[in-house]
Amino acid sequence: MKKISQDFFQRDTLTVARELLGKVLVRNYQGRIIKAKIVETEAYIGEEDDACHARHGRTSRNEVMWGEAGHLYVYLCMGLHNLLNIVTEEKDKPAAVLIRKIEPLSGKDKNLKSYGPGNLTRYLKIDRSLNGVDITKSKELYLIDDGKKINPKNIEMLPRVGIEYAKTHKDKLWRFVLKNEK
DNA sequence: GGATCGATCGGCT
DNA sequence: GCCGATCGATCCG
């Protein structure tokens, strides 16, 4: 069990998205610890990616994507859901990894149906108040590596979800899914 | 200022 | 499979 440091995030976004699979998110909320394993991610890379929020340039909403790797980008989607991203790459290059699905590690929560991008933030009590927080330094939310190796055979690459409006980058296989390990 | 639509979800037909 | 919830960012004028 070791905490993940900034070098991990300050790399190629596709590499970070792939290697985040299997890592464990730890949320410390009002004295309670909530843990969840990451099982699906998506990469959003730069102003040229016409599915990425950075495609319209820098705004107050997305400016954290231009900042230091390892900082959180949390935004409100569809007026209802907080979505969790982690900033990647060098400073001044806007890119991030969306955490798209988790597996709760607390037994009593195993019955809940779905932990898509909107639901996992509800589960982990994450909202926009955590936007800009450094996940490598925060005590509220951090990531640990449980040391288990992922077999590359169990990683699937698929097109990203919910970006029909994109033209040039719609079909990129920038979604990474961790299949059930048996 | 006003219209449109979104990196979603759950309920209903 | 479709639709409404709900609000902020973007685009047009």
Side-chain angles (χ1 to χ4, degrees):
Chain A
M1 289 286 187
K2 69 170 201 285
K3 225 165 154 171
I4 293 172
S5 62
Q6 206 211 1
D7 335 342
F8 179 89
F9 299 102
Q10 195 167 325
R11 293 184 296 163
D12 170 68
T13 308
L14 294 173
T15 305
V16 177
R18 185 184 308 111
E19 294 191 11
L20 275 174
L21 295 176
K23 300 291 186 288
V24 176
L25 272 168
V26 184
R27 173 69 163 131
N28 186 346
Y29 180 73
Q30 295 181 347
R32 257 182 350 117
I33 297 288
I34 312 167
K35 292 187 184 183
K37 183 165 86 167
I38 298 173
V39 296
E40 187 170 330
T41 61
E42 279 178 6
Y44 289 87
I45 313 173
E47 291 165 284
E48 286 68 44
D49 175 3
D50 64 348
C52 181
H53 285 175
R55 69 189 181 278
H56 296 301
R58 198 166 180 153
T59 66
S60 55
R61 178 177 67 156
N62 66 22
E63 70 173 37
V64 62
M65 279 206 285
W66 272 261
E68 298 288 342
H71 288 208
L72 302 181
Y73 172 41
V74 185
Y75 77 96
L76 188 65
C77 179
M78 308 298 285
L80 293 164
H81 306 285
N82 292 291
L83 267 52
L84 173 65
N85 300 254
I86 306 175
V87 175
T88 58
E89 312 255 357
E90 301 293 319
K91 194 172 184 306
D92 296 325
K93 171 160 180 184
V97 173
L98 170 70
I99 309 300
R100 184 163 239 307
K101 202 181 253 182
I102 59 164
E103 240 174 60
L105 296 177
S106 328
K108 68 180 164 61
D109 297 302
K110 279 183 182 158
N111 295 328
L112 294 178
K113 303 187 225 179
S114 162
Y115 287 96
N119 283 330
L120 70 90
T121 53
R122 207 151 45 93
Y123 176 72
L124 291 169
K125 311 289 184 197
I126 290 167
D127 62 22
R128 281 168 292 165
S129 67
L130 291 175
N131 189 46
V133 164
D134 184 345
I135 200 172
T136 67
K137 295 201 174 70
S138 172
K139 292 186 171 55
E140 311 291 308
L141 182 69
Y142 52 94
L143 263 172
I144 54 176
D145 187 346
D146 66 3
K148 285 182 195 149
K149 289 273 187 229
I150 302 285
N151 186 336
K153 283 185 191 162
N154 291 323
I155 298 178
E156 209 167 351
M157 293 178 69
L158 298 164
R160 293 173 292 176
V161 173
I163 55 158
E164 294 309 308
Y165 59 87
K167 304 238 180 334
T168 59
H169 286 59
K170 176 160 56 75
D171 300 317
K172 298 279 183 197
L173 301 179
W174 287 357
R175 176 156 63 110
F176 296 85
V177 180
L178 180 59
K179 294 190 281 187
N180 280 339
E181 297 179 273
K182 284 273 153 53

